[in-house]
Amino acid sequence: MNARTMRSAPPTPDSPTPPLRTAAGSATGALHPPPPRFRQRLLVVMLLAGLVPLVLLGLLAQGALERVLSVSIAPVEGVLDGVSSDLERRGLPQDALNEARLNLAQAELARRALVRRVPAFIAALVLVSGAVLALAAVLLGRALTRPVATLTEGMWAYARGDLTVRLATPEQPRDELQFLLGQFNRMGQELLAQRERLKSAEQIAAWQDVARALAHELKNPLTAMKLSLARLSRTDASMPTDSTRISEAVALLQEEVDLLMRMTQSFSTFARLPAPRFQDVALRPLLAEICTLYAGTSPVPVELVPGPDASLRADPDGLRRLFGNLVKNATEASPTGAPPVRVALEALDGGAVRVTVMDGGSGVTGVLEGPALTRGLFSTKPEGSGLGLPISQKIVHEHGGTLRLEPASGGGTLARVDLPLAPPSAPATA
């Protein structure tokens, strides 16, 4: 059965469940089959279990035959010579004696031929038996390893997250291995159903977080707008029109409307983030470009720490947005006179790179990573929408990396991004 790499996007509740597939098919990725050590060991065991007793029995049989066939006919010939002399002395015919001597000579020739052929016969018997045992071991090994190889292909597919693969198995299993394949398919169905339920629960929880965050973010501008409208509605015919009060209320309304428009634009941008287009990217020139871009508007210098370059397969636009967000946050958090914002690039073991962005601002209160970066919408800037970190986390996740924010040792915030040189499931061409 041919091994293949099976990739499929997990279904969403709004899309139909992908059709189930068998483990056989065209390969989209190179998979190396496991070494045939089990089959080789089975062959060795069967050969040893069959040939060792057979060789021992052959040696015992050869020894017994040699002892039986080693009987000499010299004493018999001496007796026949005595009988021949006695018959000759009496003048009796010796025809019967001559015939007995002829038969005895033929028996001696047959004994000698048998002594010469016994070793060859036993050797041929051992070779034929060995060939039969080897053939039986190969056939038995194939019968035993074929279900194991099929099960291995299914396990590789499940390890990649493709739970739609089903192994070929008869409806009524004929042995324990076929029963195991059927149970494997049943396990895949249960895992797929559990994953769909988990995805639905996660989406519901995500919508709840979004609704909670939106309610919190919209409450402040809507409250201010409500107060401004109430201020405008308090008019008295006996009092002159207060143009200052009206202009202040209108200005407040305009400011809150602008804030809502920025939030709406940020949400729209986050929802329409383009799919990544992976290609070879030289990371140090890209970081230098970002540092130069934000150095002109930053209250503190933005420095790229010298070091070696690193090339990886990534989406250059996504990386510019990712590191641009981190550098922008660092510059906005740094007051005038604070230490410079430092961006560093280093190589990691295991085929990965790390980019750190450190500032001397007020710093975060604790470590932020994983779900904490996308839980809720928070921003310390009046014009912020709170979507910078969720956008950065989404880009890092698409590249198969990690994003971590932690308090720096000397004060401020340290943002650390670890990216693999080749993200998982990246296309071969840009």
Side-chain angles (χ1 to χ4, degrees), residues 285-301:
L286 186 143
L287 294 175
E289 173 187 338
I290 294 173
C291 292
T292 303
L293 177 64
Y294 287 96
T297 58
S298 173
V300 297

Side-chain angles (χ1 to χ4, degrees), residues 226-304:
K226 182 178 180 180
L227 294 176
S228 298
L229 291 175
R231 188 178 180 183
L232 289 175
S233 63
R234 289 197 301 268
T235 58
D236 192 349
S238 61
M239 297 178 60
T241 303
D242 188 354
S243 59
T244 302
R245 178 171 60 85
I246 294 177
S247 60
E248 290 178 353
V250 171
L252 180 59
L253 284 174
Q254 183 63 40
E255 181 180 350
E256 298 302 330
V257 169
D258 291 341
L259 176 59
L260 291 177
M261 291 298 295
R262 288 196 299 270
M263 291 177 60
T264 304
Q265 182 62 33
S266 298
F267 295 148
S268 177
T269 301
F270 180 71
R272 294 199 305 265
L273 285 177
R277 295 177 59 85
F278 294 101
Q279 61 188 49
D280 293 333
V281 178
L283 196 52
R284 180 164 290 275
L286 186 143
L287 294 175
E289 173 187 338
I290 294 173
C291 292
T292 303
L293 177 64
Y294 287 96
T297 58
S298 173
V300 297
V302 180
E303 301 176 354
L304 177 60

Side-chain angles (χ1 to χ4, degrees), residues 55-71 111 114-115 118-119 122:
V55 170
L56 294 177
L57 290 176
L59 293 177
L60 292 176
Q62 181 178 0
L65 286 175
E66 287 179 350
R67 285 194 298 271
V68 171
L69 297 177
S70 63
V71 178
R111 184 188 69 81
L114 188 59
V115 169
V118 163
I122 293 179

Side-chain angles (χ1 to χ4, degrees), residues 276 314-324 391 395-396 398-399:
D315 178 21
D317 295 334
L319 294 186
R320 289 189 182 93
R321 188 177 291 110
L322 164 64
F323 296 118
I391 290 176
I395 296 173
V396 171
E398 290 174 342
H399 286 73

Side-chain angles (χ1 to χ4, degrees), residues 321-330 357 389 392 403 405 415 417:
R321 188 177 291 110
L322 164 64
F323 296 118
N325 282 340
L326 297 179
V327 173
K328 182 174 180 291
N329 289 342
V357 180
L389 288 180
S392 300
L403 171 61
L405 272 63
V417 179

Side-chain angles (χ1 to χ4, degrees), residues 353-366:
V353 294
R354 172 175 294 173
V355 178
T356 56
V357 180
M358 185 172 63
D359 62 67
S362 57
V364 293
T365 57

